[in-house]
Amino acid sequence: MIKSNTPHWPLAVFDWGTSNLRVYVVEASGKILERKEWPLGVKFSEPSQLPMRFTEIMERLEAQFCCQYALLIGMIGSGMGWRDVPMLHGPLSIAEHASRLFPLDGTDAYIVPGVTAPSVVGLTDMMRGEETQAYGALRLLQKSNLLLCMPGTHSKWVSLKDNLIHGITTSITGELFELLSNNSVLHEQLRDAGSSFDQTGFREGLEIAKSGLGAQNLAFSVRPRALVNCKSIQANASSYLSGILIGSEILAMKTAFGVSEIAIIAEMGLAKLYEIACGTFAISAMVLDGAEAVCAGASKLHSAHHALKD
């Protein structure tokens, strides 16, 4: 298995979420040497199986790339995962975070704790995995103050001030889209849309979101739009709803934070939708690839951790 007092690089990064496991081999610069992905998130595994799965993958990476150290981020550090690691409280620096990595016995692997911090309205919020992407954004953009948008099932809006994680605000945009599509009166108009995307429908939804009424009051318009106005193509209806939900999220966050510039961290397809939405609401958006951000952040955490030990 993994031995101590071995070279620090390359680093194995296990981005272990609820649905998927993404594994990267990363140099000190943050450059990605290898990436793999499997539908092996924590909800698809018994907790007792996770150490064995980690060992199997790590042994292959050690043989192929001489990886000796690993960082594990995301839901692997939750009650659903390998170990339920206590979350850290913001404001939080990367150095403090690096000093609190959770060691896994018998290995040179560490779980990166998640973070809790106040939302933009002062409610307690939380994230697991996105904190590493936030550190990556600081490194990649060379900025000390940022507002990050990390779209997904639960979109995270993270405020960074003086290189510290100060706030987290979550929008359940992705989950709301799935619930409305599959378990609401809108299902008939949205079923079988698949992964098709209709830009006209999406932009129409964004324009409707400009009203400021919010998704709760606008989403039902999908149904009369199809039944009365005969706009019943599922891809168009689905994209229209997506525009309403994303547009309402962007407008709410713009109003709450009072900003005109954000950084978006996501896979490129989803990031593009948010970038289009930002343009509609006069927000300048910088886009970072999610994999590059998580690896840049993980390499920074790993470097800081060993600087404290050496």
Side-chain angles (χ1 to χ4, degrees):
M1 193 48 195
I2 308 174
K3 304 291 193 296
S4 299
N5 302 317
T6 53
H8 299 167
W9 305 99
L11 171 71
V13 178
F14 287 68
D15 185 357
W16 215 325
T18 303
S19 300
N20 297 296
L21 167 60
R22 299 177 178 90
V23 177
Y24 307 95
V25 177
V26 184
E27 292 184 334
S29 65
K31 179 182 177 181
I32 301 172
L33 302 178
E34 176 80 347
R35 63 179 78 193
K36 297 286 186 182
E37 180 174 349
W38 302 272
L40 298 173
V42 295
K43 76 175 180 180
F44 299 121
S45 303
E46 291 295 326
S48 60
Q49 297 174 336
L50 298 172
M52 179 178 65
R53 185 159 288 156
F54 166 77
T55 299
E56 290 173 351
I57 295 172
M58 196 65 199
E59 286 178 348
R60 291 202 299 269
L61 297 181
E62 184 175 0
Q64 187 175 358
F65 296 99
C66 299
C67 292
Q68 300 292 333
Y69 288 92
L71 286 188
L72 287 67
I73 70 171
M75 293 300 290
I76 192 68
S78 72
M80 298 170 60
W82 187 342
R83 293 292 300 270
D84 191 1
V85 177
M87 304 186 85
L88 307 181
H89 302 288
L92 191 68
S93 70
I94 192 167
E96 182 180 0
H97 211 139
S99 72
R100 307 276 296 278
L101 299 183
F102 186 89
L104 292 167
D105 292 343
T107 77
D108 276 325
Y110 298 81
I111 293 177
V112 179
V115 178
T116 69
S119 73
V120 69
V121 294
L123 302 174
T124 300
D125 212 322
M126 59 187 284
M127 60 185 177
R128 285 189 175 94
E130 292 90 356
E131 73 290 322
T132 305
Q133 290 184 317
Y135 296 136
L138 290 172
R139 181 177 187 179
L140 293 171
L141 295 175
Q142 294 295 298
K143 290 177 177 283
S144 58
N145 299 288
L146 286 168
L147 178 62
L148 304 179
C149 170
M150 304 176 188
T153 302
H154 300 148
S155 296
K156 301 293 181 180
W157 291 73
V158 180
S159 56
L160 300 163
K161 299 178 182 179
D162 299 322
N163 294 307
L164 305 178
I165 294 175
H166 265 262
I168 305 164
T169 301
T170 302
S171 176
I172 61 169
T173 303
E175 183 171 11
L176 187 57
F177 179 84
E178 292 298 322
L179 290 170
L180 291 174
S181 297
N182 298 314
N183 299 287
S184 80
V185 71
L186 308 180
H187 170 69
E188 194 65 25
Q189 286 70 51
L190 299 167
R191 63 184 174 87
D192 302 325
S195 59
S196 301
F197 174 72
D198 182 88
Q199 186 161 151
T200 299
F202 182 69
R203 289 187 180 275
E204 185 180 345
L206 293 176
E207 290 299 320
I208 296 299
K210 280 184 175 180
S211 67
L213 288 176
Q216 183 177 353
N217 292 308
L218 296 173
F220 184 77
S221 67
V222 170
R223 186 166 171 80
R225 180 177 179 270
L227 297 179
V228 179
N229 298 337
C230 299
K231 294 184 178 181
S232 58
I233 300 172
Q234 274 87 10
N236 183 281
S238 178
S239 298
Y240 171 76
L241 177 61
S242 182
I244 286 175
L245 296 179
I246 292 175
S248 296
E249 176 189 347
I250 295 286
L251 179 58
M253 294 299 103
K254 178 181 180 180
T255 302
F257 286 101
V259 295
S260 59
E261 180 182 77
I262 66 171
I264 300 168
I265 304 177
E267 59 86 20
M268 287 297 106
L270 185 56
K272 185 62 179 177
L273 297 186
Y274 273 75
E275 186 179 22
I276 292 171
C278 284
T280 300
F281 292 94
I283 297 174
S284 175
M286 303 168 284
V287 175
L288 295 175
D289 176 71
E292 292 181 2
V294 77
C295 290
S299 61
K300 189 72 174 174
L301 275 169
H302 185 60
S303 294
H305 176 70
H306 280 283
L308 293 170
K309 292 175 63 178
D310 293 345

